[in-house]
Amino acid sequence: MAIAEIIRRLLAAADRDRRPLAVWRRPGGEHVEAVVGQREFAARPVFNGKPGFALARFDAPGDGPVEVIEADIVVKGSALRFAGGARLNDTPSNDAQRALLDGAARTTTPVRAGMSGRTPAITDEATYHALVADAVAAIEAGRFAKVVTSRAEPRPLPPDTDLLDLFERLAKRYPAAFVALVTRPGRDAWLVATPETLLSWRGGELRTMALAGTQIRPDVADLATVTWVDKLIEEQAIVARDIRRAFSTCGVIDYVESGPRTVRAANLVHLRSEFVVPDVAPDLAARLLGALHPTAAVCGLPKAEAAAYLREREGYDRACYAGFLGPVNMDGGTDLFVNLRTSQIIGDTLFLYVGGGIVAGSDPATEWAETVAKTRTVGAVLDT
C-alpha cells in the first residue's frame, strides 16, 4: 500500500499551509483515507456536526467535546472530495481549496511534526518496577481490582524524516491494525497502529470489543492452541465485565457477545471478546461512548479509583495516549479506536507510549518486559 503521488503532494501542501490533517488505513483495508481541515481543530461532541476525524485525550469525557478535524477536503484512495456547505463535492468549492490543489501540483515537502507539544516525563526501569509494586499493593489493600500503568520512551528521528513515510511503513507492516497519522500544526503529530476498536457505529448497529491479556506471540500456527494463565484470563474478563456494566448503565439489554478468543496483534497475542448492539440511535451511541471511555483495558476498574491512582502515581501526562481516535460521520458511520501502540512526535523526537494491566499477582519485571515488547510495534518502523 502506497500513498498516491498527488495525495502525498496534497497532504504535504496542507502541512506546509499549517492545516491539520489525518491519514489512515482501516484494518484489512487496501487504500488510504484522509481529511484535511481548515486552520483549527473543532471542539465538539463526536456524533454532532460535519464529517471529520476525532483525536481525544485519555482524560476527555467520551460524551463531551473532543478535538475534531472537520473535513475541508476528503481523500479516499486517489479520489478527492471538497466540502461545500453541507455537501461534499467532486470539484473545489472555494478559492482556498483551489489554491491548495494548485500548490500541491507544483511542489512537495516532507510532512513534519510541530515542536510546541508538551513532552512527556520519562520513566526508567527501576521507577516502573516500583510503580507496578505500588499498584499491586493498592490492589491487595482493596483500592481497586485492576489498574493500567504506563510509561513513555523517547526515540530520535533523523532530521529529514517524512512522517508520511513512517505511516506507509507502519501500514505495510501491520495490515490488520488501524494505522493513522494525525498532525496538529505547530504542536505535534500522532502515529498509531492500534489493534483495538473502541466503538464502531454504522447503519444503526454498534460494535465494541474487550481486548486485554498480553503475551509475546508464540510460535504456533493454530491460535486455538495458545494457553493462558489465570492472571491474564482475569485481566480480560474484567474488561468484558466493564462493557456489560456500560451497557446496563445506558439501558442496553439487547446485545450479542462472542468470545473470548486468541487474536494476533503485531508481535503479540491478546484475548478478545466482541459485542454487537442493534438499533442504536445517535444519542444512545453518544451515551455508550461516554460509558465506555476510558476502557478498563487502558485505565482499570473501578474506573474512578483507578484514574485517581494514575493521576497521583503514574508521574506523567498521557495526553492522547489511551484516548481514542478515528473517522466520524464518514460514509454513513463513525469508527473509533483506542489510541494504543502509539507515539507522539514532537520535532525530531518520537515518544513511544506503552503500558500494561496490573492485577493481584502481577510481577514488576514481567510487566516491564511487556511494555518493552509493545514498543516494537511502532518502534519497528524506525529501523527500516
Side-chain angles (χ1 to χ4, degrees), residues 202-272:
R202 55 184 58 251
E205 182 181 84
L206 184 142
R207 292 176 174 267
T208 187
M209 66 172 61
L211 186 78
T214 301
Q215 296 185 56
I216 296 175
R217 191 169 71 190
D219 187 19
V220 296
D222 183 2
L223 291 181
T225 66
V226 175
T227 58
W228 294 88
V229 299
D230 289 347
K231 178 258 182 188
L232 297 178
I233 293 171
E234 176 59 17
E235 184 182 331
Q236 195 273 342
I238 287 172
V239 178
R241 286 198 295 270
D242 188 54
I243 291 175
R244 297 185 205 107
R245 177 209 56 79
F247 288 170
S248 177
T249 298
C250 295
V252 172
I253 57 174
D254 181 15
Y255 64 90
V256 176
E257 177 181 351
S258 59
R261 62 188 180 92
T262 303
V263 295
R264 285 192 177 95
N267 60 316
L268 306 169
V269 291
H270 306 283
L271 286 168
R272 185 175 76 193

Side-chain angles (χ1 to χ4, degrees), residues 73-124:
I73 300 176
V74 174
V75 174
K76 196 164 188 178
S78 59
L80 296 175
R81 303 198 74 195
F82 303 86
R87 299 178 56 188
L88 290 173
N89 305 308
D90 294 331
T91 57
S93 303
N94 54 53
D95 289 342
Q97 292 170 352
R98 282 186 282 272
L100 191 61
L101 273 186
D102 184 55
R106 291 197 308 270
T107 185
T108 187
T109 55
V111 172
R112 305 299 311 280
M115 297 186 65
S116 66
R118 181 180 177 182
T119 59
I122 305 304
T123 304
D124 62 25

Side-chain angles (χ1 to χ4, degrees), residues 7-369:
I7 303 305
R8 178 179 281 270
R9 288 176 174 271
L10 173 72
L11 297 174
D15 183 65
R16 187 176 63 244
D17 201 30
R18 297 180 66 82
R19 290 187 178 214
L21 61 91
V23 192
W24 67 95
R25 199 280 328 275
R26 297 175 189 268
E30 297 182 355
H31 59 257
V32 171
E33 300 176 64
V35 296
V36 174
Q38 296 183 341
R39 296 294 176 181
E40 302 292 338
F41 279 72
R44 55 164 247 214
V46 166
F47 293 97
N48 293 346
K50 301 175 182 178
F53 192 96
L55 179 67
R57 286 178 54 91
F58 167 72
D59 55 7
D63 53 355
V66 300
E67 285 193 315
V68 177
I69 303 173
E70 293 192 327
D72 188 46
I73 300 176
V74 174
V75 174
K76 196 164 188 178
S78 59
L80 296 175
R81 303 198 74 195
F82 303 86
R87 299 178 56 188
L88 290 173
N89 305 308
D90 294 331
T91 57
S93 303
N94 54 53
D95 289 342
Q97 292 170 352
R98 282 186 282 272
L100 191 61
L101 273 186
D102 184 55
R106 291 197 308 270
T107 185
T108 187
T109 55
V111 172
R112 305 299 311 280
M115 297 186 65
S116 66
R118 181 180 177 182
T119 59
I122 305 304
T123 304
D124 62 25
E125 182 173 1
T127 303
Y128 195 76
H129 281 205
L131 174 63
V132 172
D134 187 79
V136 170
I139 291 168
E140 291 173 346
R143 184 169 178 182
F144 36 75
K146 171 185 176 179
V147 68
V148 181
T149 58
S150 68
R151 65 184 182 88
E153 180 177 308
R155 300 283 180 86
L157 288 177
D160 59 347
T161 299
D162 187 337
L163 300 185
L164 292 177
D165 290 339
L166 294 184
F167 167 82
E168 284 184 322
R169 291 179 205 164
L170 207 59
K172 181 178 180 181
R173 191 177 186 97
Y174 303 115
F178 177 78
V179 179
L181 169 68
V182 187
T183 68
R184 302 193 291 185
R187 295 159 63 186
D188 58 14
W190 288 81
L191 181 67
V192 54
T194 178
E196 184 170 353
T197 298
L198 174 62
L199 178 153
S200 179
W201 178 74
R202 55 184 58 251
E205 182 181 84
L206 184 142
R207 292 176 174 267
T208 187
M209 66 172 61
L211 186 78
T214 301
Q215 296 185 56
I216 296 175
R217 191 169 71 190
D219 187 19
V220 296
D222 183 2
L223 291 181
T225 66
V226 175
T227 58
W228 294 88
V229 299
D230 289 347
K231 178 258 182 188
L232 297 178
I233 293 171
E234 176 59 17
E235 184 182 331
Q236 195 273 342
I238 287 172
V239 178
R241 286 198 295 270
D242 188 54
I243 291 175
R244 297 185 205 107
R245 177 209 56 79
F247 288 170
S248 177
T249 298
C250 295
V252 172
I253 57 174
D254 181 15
Y255 64 90
V256 176
E257 177 181 351
S258 59
R261 62 188 180 92
T262 303
V263 295
R264 285 192 177 95
N267 60 316
L268 306 169
V269 291
H270 306 283
L271 286 168
R272 185 175 76 193
S273 299
E274 298 175 345
F275 299 80
V276 180
V277 187
D279 300 323
V280 175
D283 61 338
L284 177 56
R287 294 203 309 273
L288 283 167
L289 177 59
L292 290 168
H293 173 72
T295 72
V298 298
C299 179
L301 202 67
K303 287 185 188 177
E305 289 78 0
Y309 177 85
L310 293 172
R311 286 192 298 270
E312 295 168 11
R313 301 297 180 91
E314 196 166 39
Y316 80 110
D317 179 11
R318 290 188 175 192
C320 296
Y321 165 63
F324 61 83
L325 77 169
V328 300
N329 301 329
M330 299 277 287
D331 297 325
T334 291
D335 299 294
L336 301 175
F337 299 83
V338 183
N339 196 359
L340 299 175
R341 313 298 189 270
T342 191
S343 62
Q344 180 185 22
I345 304 167
I346 301 173
D348 292 334
T349 304
L350 181 146
F351 296 91
L352 297 166
Y353 289 82
V354 287
I358 310 304
V359 295
S362 290
D363 172 65
T366 301
E367 297 300 331
W368 171 266

